[in-house]
Amino acid sequence: MINVTKTFLPSQEEYQAILKTAWDSGWITNRGVLVLELEKKIKNYLGVAHLIATTNGTLPLQIAIKALKLKGEIITTPFSYVASTASIIWENCNPVFVDIHPEYLTIDETKIESAITPKTTAILATHVFGNPCHVEAIEALAKKHQLKVIYDGAHAFGVTYNGQSIFNYGNVSTCSFHSTKLFHTAEGGAMFCNDEAVFNKLFFAHNFGHDGPLDFFGLGINAKMSEMQAAMGLAMLPYMDTILNERKKVIDFYNTHLDFSKLQSIKIRENTRWNYSYYPLIFQSEEKLLQIEKVLNDYQIIPRRYFYPSLNTIKYVKGKKMPISESIASRILCLPLFVGLHQTDLEKIIAIINKELC
Ligand SMILES: *Cc1c(COP(=O)(O)O)cnc(C)c1O
């Protein structure tokens, strides 16, 4: 079976050699040496000054909403994984959707201003598939209307925009290190913030608000990464160049051989160094997508409908119609993309799609 992704794993020996530090000290969580080392190495790798490693990529969104004291309405994208909308609702705020750009698939910055009301406190946008939002326009709007900005950068590990890490933008940025993501710690994530006061709030909040064993800085919750997770991250990092190169090769092959006369692929924003995190294809109709998905499934090839459904249509969400997002969500399919995807399988996938497109 060929899935949309296959988790990259270092050898067990490499993982266990790193984990030995934790075993020998008997210290397996609460910001142990491996978490501290991972934070340092990721800062170096990404070129960011501040980050906090967390136990997943969703708690950072919730903690950011709390730390920035957001209330009322948060403007967000309908085209993302459910975590971005769920975090807003979970924190007792209302998601207000703004439709997406038909090619970049990120929130359409030109439609944000008309969605702002006196109740709006923030914009929470996703760098979907690692494609940066129009961060300049969003920053200008936030300034003009005194809004906070949170970027869900779950897919954006290693992405640079205008020569610097995409995580340097917004009041807070987040990432996911889930095992389906480009870089992973089995479960895990991070939050990024360059404002010292906000960073302190995030930091204390991810560890119950503890300020030393007996004192509390403020309200907190538990989003700490464990040493087991950090060891996986440390074992993964040396492979990042290989991972990026191998994924680029797969993408180049798809790009060269698929018949794009009846297909649309994602447009990556200018001045971006992308991370090859997903390979989404947009078909001309949902019927075509379902037809091709079925044939692929018959050959044990399992692409995924990332992201379906459009989040404004979820049962517990009362969202307005979002024509572009709903249309794209119904027609988009992510093809298998991982290190170790065989050339013969790639050729098979491409042959099936090109044949069914005719
Ligand atoms: C994966 C993902 C998350 C959540 O990350 P977890 O680490 O699974 O909690 C949030 N937002 C988006 C867009 C994602 O794809």
Side-chain angles (χ1 to χ4, degrees):
M1 189 141 89
I2 303 165
N3 273 313
V4 66
T5 191
K6 182 175 169 193
T7 302
F8 184 93
L9 288 172
S11 73
Q12 276 191 52
E13 290 73 27
E14 288 167 314
Y15 179 60
Q16 279 164 2
I18 297 169
L19 205 53
K20 190 169 185 306
T21 318
W23 231 262
D24 290 349
S25 67
W27 186 293
I28 59 169
T29 188
N30 286 358
R31 300 188 56 75
V33 291
L34 298 180
V35 163
L36 300 184
E37 189 185 341
L38 182 67
E39 286 180 345
K40 196 168 137 213
K41 288 196 165 153
I42 294 179
K43 278 188 229 173
N44 234 333
Y45 178 80
L46 297 176
V48 298
H50 310 285
L51 83 88
I52 303 160
T54 55
T55 194
N56 62 46
T58 304
L59 276 161
L61 293 169
Q62 296 177 244
I63 290 175
I65 291 169
K66 272 274 195 319
L68 295 169
K69 294 195 160 65
L70 304 183
K71 295 193 195 63
E73 297 174 355
I74 299 180
I75 289 177
T76 192
T77 173
F79 191 72
S80 179
Y81 182 58
V82 71
S84 25
T85 295
S87 303
I88 293 172
I89 299 175
W90 199 267
E91 294 303 327
N92 292 314
C93 296
N94 292 320
V96 171
F97 295 99
V98 165
D99 214 345
I100 57 169
H101 189 281
E103 292 175 291
Y104 297 119
L105 311 185
T106 48
I107 194 166
D108 187 340
E109 62 282 353
T110 65
K111 294 179 178 161
I112 291 177
E113 193 152 35
S114 60
I116 296 173
T117 76
K119 287 186 189 156
T120 310
T121 55
I123 300 165
L124 191 163
T126 301
H127 302 305
V128 72
F129 302 132
N131 200 19
C133 298
H134 195 315
V135 291
E136 294 91 349
I138 291 173
E139 190 174 328
L141 283 167
K143 227 180 209 151
K144 182 172 167 196
H145 296 276
Q146 293 177 17
L147 306 175
K148 305 291 187 201
V149 179
I150 299 171
Y151 286 116
D152 181 343
H155 311 156
F157 191 85
V159 170
T160 69
Y161 178 67
N162 284 333
Q164 63 165 319
S165 171
I166 192 65
F167 298 132
N168 281 332
Y169 294 88
N171 294 93
V172 179
S173 284
T174 69
C175 191
S176 167
F177 304 158
H178 184 259
S179 57
T180 52
K181 306 298 205 274
L182 183 72
F183 166 81
H184 78 91
T185 59
E187 292 269 1
M191 38 195 179
F192 305 82
C193 172
N194 288 325
D195 175 299
E196 200 181 327
V198 178
F199 182 86
N200 272 330
K201 282 190 190 167
L202 298 173
F203 184 84
F204 285 107
H206 102 293
N207 184 19
F208 297 109
H210 268 296
D211 188 6
L214 302 178
D215 203 2
F216 294 93
F217 173 86
L219 179 67
I221 199 77
N222 182 5
K224 296 186 303 299
M225 178 181 274
S226 76
E227 294 291 271
M228 276 68 181
Q229 292 169 291
M232 181 60 83
L234 288 166
M236 288 285 295
L237 272 180
Y239 289 101
M240 285 316 294
D241 282 348
T242 313
I243 291 171
L244 292 170
N245 287 334
E246 293 297 311
R247 295 174 77 101
K248 180 175 188 303
K249 275 191 219 159
V250 172
I251 288 181
D252 286 345
F253 199 81
Y254 277 136
N255 282 342
T256 313
H257 298 283
L258 280 167
D259 174 6
F260 282 95
S261 62
K262 289 178 185 155
L263 279 177
Q264 182 194 333
S265 61
I266 188 174
K267 182 173 172 191
I268 301 299
R269 195 173 296 282
E270 300 70 17
N271 304 319
T272 298
R273 192 190 70 199
W274 191 42
N275 64 357
Y276 315 105
S277 48
Y278 294 86
Y279 194 78
L281 280 184
I282 303 165
F283 295 92
Q284 284 178 328
S285 67
E286 186 170 22
E287 294 72 58
K288 202 41 133 179
L289 177 149
L290 293 171
Q291 173 201 329
I292 290 177
E293 187 187 31
K294 181 171 182 320
V295 180
L296 288 169
N297 287 173
D298 289 343
Y299 283 90
Q300 303 288 308
I301 297 160
I302 320 292
R304 277 292 297 268
R305 296 186 70 181
Y306 290 148
F307 288 99
Y308 179 89
S310 185
L311 298 173
N312 58 303
T313 67
I314 289 181
K315 260 186 280 189
Y316 58 79
V317 176
K318 293 181 287 287
K320 289 201 188 110
K321 279 202 80 59
M322 295 285 129
I324 298 171
S325 175
E326 287 171 43
S327 168
I328 299 270
S330 72
R331 295 183 288 121
I332 196 164
L333 194 64
C334 281
L335 296 192
L337 169 59
F338 50 84
V339 177
L341 183 54
H342 294 296
Q343 175 91 10
T344 46
D345 291 327
L346 261 179
E347 283 165 0
K348 191 157 83 187
I349 295 166
I350 290 163
I352 292 169
I353 294 174
N354 284 346
K355 174 162 173 281
E356 296 296 324
L357 279 174
C358 296

